[in-house]
Amino acid sequence: MLVSAAALIDDAGRVLVAERPAGKPLAGLWEFPGGKIDAHETPEAALVRELDEELGITVMVRDLLPLAFASHALDNGHLVLLLFAVRRWHGVPEPRIGQRLRWVTMAEMADLAMPPADAPLVAALAAHLAGDRVA
């Protein structure tokens, strides 16, 4: 299974995370917003679609920066999660599928319970954000 996800980064350097809703696998864990890539989609097109469906925001493909990926074995297959950094979008993120949303600092993210595929991406995101401060 291929999944695209976004690290939405605000002007303060905080990142938007979404809590998996009750009734879904891994409910209660915090993740980067995004979703499955359909057979006919590119990872970027899937992420643009998912962010519109889940959060009601518009993102342009040109504003997606490939950041990292994670590979994780599942009980019934395998998951490859592609993470993109996103700093520009139109609209205000709103929970549209029953999830809770939260803007967190990297220090706060370190304390969040996250799905196994999302957790290793936090280090890549932290390095990306640290590079912002150095430049």
Side-chain angles (χ1 to χ4, degrees), residues 88-130:
R88 290 196 308 214
W89 59 87
H90 299 284
V92 177
E94 299 175 339
R96 293 201 163 172
I97 59 168
Q99 79 278 43
R100 287 192 309 155
L101 302 177
R102 187 171 158 197
W103 289 100
V104 297
T105 64
M106 289 308 299
E108 292 167 327
M109 189 176 292
D111 293 331
L112 292 178
M114 299 184 86
D118 288 68
L121 298 173
V122 173
L125 178 58
H128 172 74
L129 292 173

Side-chain angles (χ1 to χ4, degrees), residues 58-119:
T58 302
V59 176
M60 305 302 291
V61 168
R62 69 176 176 261
D63 293 323
L64 301 176
L65 174 66
L67 189 59
F69 77 94
S71 179
H72 181 71
L74 302 172
D75 291 338
N76 58 348
H78 202 87
L79 169 71
V80 175
L81 178 58
L82 309 171
L83 183 65
F84 293 83
V86 183
R87 292 187 172 274
R88 290 196 308 214
W89 59 87
H90 299 284
V92 177
E94 299 175 339
R96 293 201 163 172
I97 59 168
Q99 79 278 43
R100 287 192 309 155
L101 302 177
R102 187 171 158 197
W103 289 100
V104 297
T105 64
M106 289 308 299
E108 292 167 327
M109 189 176 292
D111 293 331
L112 292 178
M114 299 184 86
D118 288 68

Side-chain angles (χ1 to χ4, degrees), residues 34-49:
K36 293 178 187 168
I37 301 169
D38 291 338
H40 66 280
E41 290 180 307
T42 65
E44 295 85 356
L47 188 54
V48 166
R49 176 184 52 76

